Amino acid sequence: MAPPAPRARTGIAGLDAVLGGGLPADRLYLVDGEPGTGKTTLALQFLLTGQAEGQRGLYVTLSETAEELRAASLSHGWNIDGLSVLELSAIEGVVSEEVYTLFHPSEVELQHTVDAVLAAIERERPARVVFDSLSEMRLLARDPLRFRRQILTLKQFFVGRGCTVLLLDDRSAPETDLQLHSIAHGVVVLEQLPTEYGAERRRMQVKKLRGVRFRGGYHDFRIRTGGIEVYPRIAATTVGAPEIGENLQSGSPELDALLGGGISRATSTLITGAAGTGKTVVSAMYAAAACARGEKVEMFMFDERRATFLARSRLLGFDFDGAFASGQLVIRQIEPTEMSPGEFATEVVRAVEERGVSLVCLDSVNGYMHAMPAERLLVVQIHELLTYLANHGVTTVMTLVQSGIFGSPVDQAAEVSYLADTVILLRYFEFAGTVRQAISVVKKRSGDHERTIRECRIEQGGFRVGAPLEGFAGVLTGVPRYIGGSAPLMVDALDVRGRA
């Protein structure tokens, strides 16, 4: 078996992961995308990475001036003085005697342009070359056949020269023109998607890479100060998946009894109910119990500010301050309109692989849904995320807000609840002119659980679970009928004083 070809790293960790280690060296590649998608940024990172590894780089610019290129690099904090920049608009005899005359395709023959590029490559002997962009050469060629022949000439010229080449194209050709796709050894497509509200979304796809296994599909990316960050789609492999672990307690014996001893490690739990029923409080109970065991926890808050959550936790008797200050507990406040689903999934992966967290809390799935580019992707995204976490022995606690107060909970949660291993249902119900709360476990794949419906309430110390509501019928409808001899409802000091 022949040894694998050496790789030319792009300098973008996520893209190199998608490519399986980088681009196979000494080949010609196409980076395709409309203006503004990040082609120039990607190309500069590619050349600067090569420079850091001792490889000479040449940037051939047909549309931008060298000064514009330098300004773009400085915006990322890069110094490109070590790179050779060939500005065709400033080559004597190609455009005019004035070096700063702007390049215009109609003034020059295509062959002159190609000759100037080949001469510069012979002179510089670079290991990495970027052509930005091919739209100018396409206009010079005027004829698709002539353009194809010139690109093939370029490709043949680089054979045996130990040079990895990126051709940047801004999709100025008709959509049906795939000549470059067929010629290039690999094709990377960059896209920018408008959204109805919030920042635009960017995604990339490796459409072709000959002789190499790569991670297909779309992968989100973002252009930040310092370059492009690619967020590879999670690979939810089942290889090496751990067995279901021991039961994890919540700190409430009654709640643990309702769950048949607790929730199982390396499983997912969905806590669903109307607003104010205590979903976040139950999630916080599991986080506090994990911190008490010395485990690392990461909470992703879509709906509530971190300061509000910590203040409310103190009032309920949860002491998160020490764990938060030491880094044992990390609370991430997520803005759905600013973060793509791929970026969020990458943040979760980093929490698992870099911090070693054992419990991930997602509050709430509704906020996660708003970070999706389309609602139809919700189930697939969550499935991949939950599978990845389970395979790494991480326990997941999610919350889902149902619309309305007494509305049917089934329709709202059906598409998500089947993915979770355990489903806890919180409900309001009315009795004697007061609004009360009930809790039940409707599903647990990893073991048995109580089938009862118990009353519950939020109070000092967290979440209190009472006795089963045996004297009632229709609790889940929100307006139950009392059929018992005495109402087995929870009583506290305030209730006693109110009756006196």
Side-chain angles (χ1 to χ4, degrees), residues 38 47 62 75 145 172 174 177 270 277 281 304 342 357 366 374 382 387 390 447 474 481:
L47 291 181
L62 294 89
S75 69
L145 178 59
S172 57
D177 186 0
L270 177 68
T277 49
V281 177
E304 188 174 10
V357 303
N366 308 75
I382 294 180
T387 303
R481 303 188 319 276

Side-chain angles (χ1 to χ4, degrees), residues 278-301:
K279 300 177 299 299
T280 302
V281 177
V282 176
S283 176
M285 289 177 65
Y286 284 107
C291 289
R293 292 191 298 268
E295 301 177 14
K296 292 183 178 179
V297 179
E298 189 131 355
M299 304 186 75
F300 296 91
M301 313 290 292

